[in-house]
Amino acid sequence: MLRGLNMDRQLLVSSLIEYAGRNHSSTEVIATDSSGVVHRTNWSEVRSRAQQVSAALLDEGISTGDRIATIAWNDHRHLEVYYGITALGSVLHTVNPRLRDQQISWIISHAEDQLVFVDPDFLRLAETIAPETPSVRKWVVLTDELPETSLPNAVAYEEWISKRGSAIRWPLLDEWSAATLCYTSGTTGDPKGVVQSHRSIVLQTWATCTGDGHDVNSSQSILLAVPMFHVNGWAIPFAAAMSGAKLVLPGPDLSAEALVRQIRAEQITFSAGVPTIWLSVVQYLKDTGVDIPSLQRIAVGGSAAPRSLMDTLEDDYGVFVSHVWGMTEMTQGSAGRFTHRVTGLNREEQRRRQAMAGRELYGVELRLVDNNGEDVPRDGFSPGELLARGPWVAGAYFELDDETTHLQDEHGNWLRTGDVATMDTEGYIAIVDRAKDVIKSGGEWISSIELENAAVAAPGIAEAAAVGLRHDRWGERPLLLVVLEPGAEFKPDEIVEAIRPHVASWCLPDAVVEVEEIPHTGTGKINKRLLRDRFSDFSWPQ
Ligand code: AMP
């Protein structure tokens, strides 16, 4: 082999913050902390405080590969810690505080976290789990002064970093060393740990910055409405540094009112978040008549975004919606922006594609297989299990020996995503359902997502969830649960009629029930398992 004669420079997370600190030093990073105080800082300061974090970790005896947890909202301290941990070679383990206490202590113990950075909002949670997490040597509370706490070995963050200078030089790590650890939500079984290397973070961040990715660039002002504990905030905290964009971190308040206020105040051009966030923003805009002229584009993903959401945002507010699919195992898995070939299509055809979950993105190869592991054609309508592989796709899980998570065949090692999808010849994917949520009626599959999207487009429906319940004749049939908009009247027949034009007649729900609230998982997805349990005794109308 003739080796290339390029320089041996490893792809490291530290290079991102070094770059931003050096070249975009005065570009603002604005954060609201959990006490509501707004902090205005910049990339240069984020870099030097991240260096202080690394220096303090070194003093604590932390070394390469040690896992350090964060239980925190999106704010400047969490961002400093993101870089301070990873740049040193230790592993950033972002914990989702919305999980149950038991699950949190399970994952902290499984990861053997040495230190935990905890937001004061989660102090009670930390106190509850501390006796169950013996690996944790110190709790660093993300605040100026240590509040009253029973936590053993607790220290206030500002005091902890203030003793250290920022003179540290970050080590030249091997790019294959672990940078982040994030556990999947684990609605069934124990959560599974996904370990991303430095190389993988840098590569996926580059993909995020590309034109058909999220087109993150230095002219943007970004509002991060995705929690930094969910899939590394979709790599946006890294992409903002790679491109030198202005970054706004909203803290704990993700209400529509707070988000819209920040969009207007900080002239936000791009934002990202799960569909429920944007549904509430649209409702707020409609109710108040407020406008958001600076916002050009949003990325939506994490669960299926209804077509009606895209129509309203684009037609009424001029906001282009980039609908993407992804998962903890790879962060962004599809590209949601369009090429000129698509923009040339008529509006209806454009929207049809836009409502799909993006298209294959360079770096994540996608493939569909049937129950026997045979390839399913990319014909736009045949469903199959979606498999993925690529340099930033998880090849295995942290300390888990389970052969069922991947499919190994003559084409190599593929991650089984657990999603059922269709794909067309141009690589557009449509997520039919989670394999376990698809409604199996008389040997045919009904997409719960399709029913929900059609339902929320009906007048007066704020949110909808479709679940398959046992049925004597058909095996399973769909039950539709709806939350009404304030003041709307519940008319189940009219809801079914509004859905009828969008789905085959045998897919229509057998019953529609009004509920006050639809439960969500810790990452904002509809909790279908809970709904199936709750309605397990439901009697179908005769
Ligand atoms: P998580 O690892 O928590 O982000 O969950 C990943 C899962 O979210 C995927 O496997 C999908 O089931 C779901 N998901 C993500 N994006 C979409 C999307 N655009 N449409 C439908 N489901 C999605």
Side-chain angles (χ1 to χ4, degrees):
M1 180 186 80
L2 176 64
R3 270 182 74 90
L5 295 176
N6 305 95
M7 292 182 183
D8 180 15
R9 294 293 292 168
Q10 302 287 293
L11 301 175
L12 300 178
V13 173
S14 55
S15 67
L16 302 173
I17 188 66
E18 290 279 22
Y19 169 82
R22 197 168 59 239
N23 300 296
H24 300 274
S25 53
S26 59
T27 302
E28 281 188 297
V29 172
I30 296 146
T32 306
D33 72 13
S34 57
S35 55
V37 174
V38 177
H39 297 255
R40 301 191 87 89
T41 176
N42 57 43
W43 283 114
S44 165
E45 232 181 295
V46 172
R47 173 179 60 171
S48 50
R49 281 167 58 94
Q51 285 170 320
Q52 286 174 264
V53 171
S54 298
L57 288 172
L58 267 182
D59 284 357
E60 298 286 350
I62 295 301
S63 55
T64 314
D66 284 345
R67 272 81 65 196
I68 318 278
T70 62
I71 312 180
W73 299 117
N74 293 8
D75 70 13
H76 60 302
R77 294 188 179 111
H78 200 179
L79 187 69
E80 293 153 15
V81 164
Y82 246 57
Y83 285 106
I85 295 173
T86 49
L88 185 66
S90 44
V91 184
L92 167 75
H93 173 199
T94 45
V95 175
N96 181 347
R98 295 183 187 137
L99 299 178
R100 281 179 287 116
D101 294 358
Q102 248 175 341
Q103 273 181 316
I104 295 179
S105 48
W106 187 92
I107 60 174
I108 289 182
S109 301
H110 188 258
E112 295 181 61
D113 293 324
Q114 307 275 305
L115 254 84
V116 180
F117 290 90
V118 60
D119 190 280
D121 263 10
F122 303 120
L123 214 50
R124 295 290 92 81
L125 161 71
E127 287 167 351
T128 311
I129 62 169
E132 314 298 324
T133 52
S135 63
V136 179
R137 297 193 271 121
K138 186 161 250 170
W139 300 81
V140 184
V141 185
L142 293 161
T143 183
D144 300 308
E145 269 176 49
L146 191 65
E148 190 61 38
T149 176
S150 63
L151 272 180
N153 246 340
V155 61
Y157 176 79
E158 293 297 339
E159 196 189 314
W160 184 71
I161 62 167
S162 67
K163 300 186 192 113
R164 280 84 185 181
S166 56
I168 186 175
R169 282 177 81 98
W170 281 315
L172 292 174
L173 305 163
D174 180 325
E175 64 184 18
W176 277 95
S177 47
T180 66
L181 168 63
C182 195
Y183 282 77
T184 59
S185 14
T187 41
T188 50
D190 285 331
K192 298 194 278 285
V194 174
V195 181
Q196 296 279 3
S197 65
H198 282 257
R199 168 190 150 86
S200 139
I201 297 275
V202 172
L203 291 175
Q204 64 182 248
T205 301
W206 246 319
T208 301
C209 291
T210 57
D212 282 356
H214 290 328
D215 192 20
V216 177
N217 61 63
S218 58
S219 69
Q220 279 173 352
S221 172
I222 304 175
L223 175 68
L224 188 63
V226 186
M228 287 163 71
F229 55 75
H230 184 219
V231 202
N232 292 338
W234 300 1
I236 291 169
F238 298 123
M242 178 181 267
S243 59
K246 171 175 165 183
L247 183 62
V248 178
L249 301 167
D253 188 359
L254 294 181
S255 67
E257 192 270 330
L259 295 178
V260 168
R261 183 170 15 90
Q262 290 173 82
I263 291 171
R264 290 168 60 86
E266 300 303 335
Q267 292 294 297
I268 297 297
T269 57
F270 170 64
S271 183
V274 292
T276 33
I277 295 257
W278 299 114
L279 287 167
S280 69
V281 165
V282 163
Q283 191 60 48
Y284 178 83
L285 296 174
K286 278 190 198 162
D287 292 347
T288 57
V290 170
D291 204 0
I292 42 171
S294 65
L295 191 64
Q296 294 162 2
R297 193 159 43 79
I298 58 165
V300 184
S303 52
R307 154 93 191 248
S308 52
L309 176 70
M310 293 165 200
D311 287 340
T312 312
L313 277 168
E314 215 165 313
D315 297 342
D316 299 351
Y317 300 99
V319 179
F320 179 82
V321 178
S322 178
H323 186 198
V324 285
W325 167 87
M327 57 197 305
T328 308
E329 285 82 344
M330 73 199 67
T331 316
Q332 194 177 343
S334 72
R337 282 177 39 88
F338 300 117
T339 59
H340 61 282
R341 274 180 293 139
V342 176
T343 13
L345 296 172
N346 70 41
R347 179 182 175 280
E348 182 52 33
E349 187 52 26
Q350 272 185 37
R351 291 288 164 88
R352 193 185 67 75
R353 295 193 191 207
Q354 199 177 348
M356 296 168 92
R359 68 193 303 196
E360 204 176 66
L361 164 81
Y362 174 79
V364 181
E365 274 177 85
L366 299 174
R367 180 183 165 203
L368 294 178
V369 292
D370 64 17
N371 287 339
N372 303 319
E374 299 294 332
D375 281 290
V376 167
R378 290 178 167 214
D379 57 13
F381 60 87
S382 305
E385 187 186 356
L386 189 60
L387 307 181
R389 74 171 174 194
W392 60 85
V393 177
Y397 291 94
F398 183 56
E399 304 203 331
L400 179 80
D401 199 9
D402 180 356
E403 284 174 9
T404 62
T405 62
H406 286 72
L407 178 81
Q408 186 87 42
D409 66 7
E410 71 273 21
H411 304 294
N413 184 23
W414 293 79
L415 172 81
R416 301 186 60 165
T417 66
D419 285 334
V420 175
T422 60
M423 259 183 113
D424 70 13
T425 49
E426 291 191 312
Y428 280 91
I429 56 173
I431 304 296
V432 175
D433 234 322
R434 285 297 288 165
K436 58 183 187 306
D437 293 334
V438 81
I439 302 163
K440 298 178 186 84
S441 170
E444 299 287 345
W445 286 2
I446 299 175
S447 160
S448 63
I449 292 179
E450 206 173 74
L451 284 175
E452 287 156 9
N453 286 349
V456 290
I461 307 285
E463 200 179 2
V467 286
L469 297 184
R470 211 155 22 88
H471 189 284
D472 289 343
R473 177 154 181 223
W474 299 105
E476 274 182 1
R477 286 297 299 157
L479 170 72
L480 184 72
L481 304 163
V482 293
V483 177
L484 296 185
E485 283 175 2
E489 212 182 311
F490 180 55
K491 293 186 179 159
D493 293 344
E494 286 184 15
I495 296 173
V496 173
E497 285 318 304
I499 300 174
R500 192 180 294 281
H502 304 286
V503 301
S505 59
W506 55 270
C507 297
L508 286 168
D510 281 19
V512 184
V513 170
E514 183 193 352
V515 289
E516 266 184 21
E517 200 186 358
I518 286 175
H520 292 93
T521 65
T523 52
K525 301 183 204 318
I526 295 174
N527 192 334
K528 303 245 166 122
R529 193 175 52 124
L530 196 71
L531 287 174
R532 280 191 291 262
D533 287 351
R534 200 172 284 171
F535 286 88
S536 59
D537 294 333
F538 182 78
S539 311
W540 292 112
Q542 295 305 312

